Amino acid sequence: MGISTRQYQDIMNEYDAVRRRNYMAEQERKERIYALIPEIRRIDEEIAHVSVAKAKEMLLKKISNADAKKSLQSTIYDLSMEKVNLLAIHDYPADYLDPIYDCPECKDTGYIGDKKCHCFQQKIREILYRQSNIEDSAGNECFSAFRTDYYSSQRSGRERLSPRENIENVLSVSRSFIECFDSRPGQNLFIYGNAGVGKTFLSNCIAGELLSRGKGVIYLTAYQFFDQLADYTFRRGTDNAQTLPAFLHCDLLIIDDLGTELNNSFINSQLFLCINERILNKKSTIISTNLSLEQINRS
């Protein structure tokens, strides 16, 4: 999924706006300096004149390209140093008239060659985090903050594993889910257990890690999920008509705290349709619930 075509175009429009803003700032600086130091205007005009003259000489074969390039570079260097000295005399930095960029690496284009610049990747991550619904918790709820010592190391009753051994297995499965996300598309997780054992925290850990890798993740509580499904189905709001496709096609959908909603036949059918569509499209889903497997089977 990543970002949509519209979101991509919005990013490119941002870059256009940045370039226009910086160009206007450059022109304001140039006019200010020209008014204060007229000699710099003359130098810029001379640089332009020399560049055109050398280009004509090369076109007319009056001078070899190598000689013309060497001569032009020498002339421009001398004139540029003269500009730098004039700026310094008036307490301006040497790069005051240089092009202005928010990102010098891609020159505010978003691309270095045919590769997205790190600033473009950051914009993508910001969009993905905003639409994920975990933006507020992403910084705190991560694997590095997951404490297994919260869980008892003592086994109880007929349990084969202690709570700590169990959560260590769960973490191992979760990390494998992340590492194999691209190589095994469409894998799913069903996380169940009593309230307070860390299901939501774990879901957010997985979501945060995948978001940092540029995957499209949407997190919703079961209540939010079914409420928006109903809005879409019954067309109660025009904005919500665009929500269902996001559920269906995001790289990872997390439905948290699934519970007694399953007693409703409409909800059961809508949940099935959504999950089935995602399976067909090889999109991953995580569902967490306080219900036991036996209770789920009875629903």
Side-chain angles (χ1 to χ4, degrees):
M1 173 191 167
I3 58 173
S4 67
T5 302
R6 174 63 181 275
Q7 289 168 329
Y8 175 87
Q9 191 56 54
D10 287 344
I11 292 176
M12 298 309 294
N13 289 341
E14 284 182 34
Y15 280 116
D16 287 341
V18 167
R19 290 196 297 272
R20 287 195 298 271
R21 167 171 53 79
N22 287 338
Y23 175 78
M24 294 302 296
E26 291 169 22
Q27 295 307 303
E28 289 176 6
R29 286 187 176 190
K30 185 179 291 186
E31 292 305 319
R32 186 182 306 120
I33 292 299
Y34 283 175
L36 181 65
I37 317 171
E39 185 65 12
I40 287 183
R41 182 193 292 272
R42 181 198 63 77
I43 292 173
D44 282 346
E45 290 173 350
E46 187 171 347
I47 289 174
H49 174 75
V50 169
S51 299
V52 172
K54 292 298 180 184
K56 286 182 179 179
E57 289 180 359
M58 286 189 288
L59 288 172
L60 296 173
K61 306 297 184 182
K62 292 183 177 181
I63 187 173
S64 70
N65 288 355
D67 290 341
K69 184 177 180 181
K70 184 176 180 180
S71 174
L72 180 60
Q73 287 176 336
S74 176
T75 301
I76 290 178
Y77 176 80
D78 291 340
L79 291 170
S80 296
M81 290 307 299
E82 191 176 343
K83 280 175 60 176
V84 169
N85 291 333
L86 287 169
L87 288 169
I89 290 171
H90 291 81
D91 296 323
Y92 284 96
D95 62 354
Y96 188 73
L97 294 177
D98 288 353
I100 300 171
Y101 299 115
D102 283 14
C103 179
E105 294 179 46
C106 69
K107 295 181 171 57
D108 297 332
T109 64
Y111 282 84
I112 300 175
D114 60 351
K115 302 292 185 182
K116 290 184 178 70
C117 181
H118 66 86
C119 64
F120 198 119
Q121 298 287 1
Q122 179 60 30
K123 291 179 185 293
I124 291 175
R125 283 192 290 271
E126 289 171 358
I127 290 173
L128 294 177
Y129 270 99
R130 283 197 300 271
Q131 71 185 21
S132 70
N133 294 326
I134 69 161
E135 190 174 14
D136 293 337
S137 60
N140 300 319
E141 299 186 358
C142 54
F143 282 109
S144 61
F146 202 108
R147 295 181 54 186
T148 57
D149 60 355
Y150 171 82
Y151 302 85
S152 172
S153 60
Q154 301 299 315
R155 299 180 187 179
S156 61
R158 297 181 179 179
E159 297 294 336
R160 293 187 303 106
L161 300 173
S162 69
R164 186 175 301 175
E165 290 170 328
N166 181 65
I167 198 62
E168 287 171 349
N169 284 344
V170 170
L171 287 173
S172 177
V173 170
S174 299
R175 290 193 173 98
S176 176
F177 176 86
I178 293 166
E179 295 307 320
C180 298
F181 197 81
D182 290 327
S183 61
R184 291 164 51 193
Q187 57 180 328
N188 304 297
L189 288 178
F190 183 73
I191 306 173
Y192 66 98
N194 296 330
V197 297
K199 298 185 299 297
T200 298
F201 193 103
L202 179 62
S203 296
N204 285 342
C205 290
I206 296 171
E209 183 63 32
L210 289 173
L211 283 166
S212 71
R213 301 184 184 197
K215 304 301 180 184
V217 179
I218 293 179
Y219 168 95
L220 293 170
T221 65
Y223 175 82
Q224 292 170 326
F225 175 70
F226 290 121
D227 185 59
Q228 292 186 34
L229 266 179
D231 279 350
Y232 178 84
T233 303
F234 298 114
R235 302 183 184 279
R236 292 203 299 260
T238 55
D239 290 341
N240 287 323
Q242 301 301 318
T243 303
L244 186 58
F247 291 163
L248 293 177
H249 302 297
C250 62
D251 298 317
L252 174 63
L253 170 64
I254 298 175
I255 304 173
D256 190 30
D257 201 22
L258 188 67
T260 55
E261 302 90 351
L262 293 177
N263 292 329
N264 183 302
S265 59
F266 166 78
I267 284 177
N268 273 339
S269 64
Q270 292 302 305
L271 178 62
F272 170 79
L273 290 173
C274 180
I275 293 178
N276 186 61
E277 183 69 17
R278 291 183 59 77
I279 289 173
L280 293 175
N281 289 315
K282 294 187 176 180
K283 299 297 182 181
S284 295
T285 305
I286 294 177
I287 295 177
S288 72
T289 180
N290 295 339
L291 301 178
S292 66
L293 289 177
E294 183 179 331
Q295 289 172 308
I296 292 288
N297 289 331
R298 289 202 304 263
S299 299

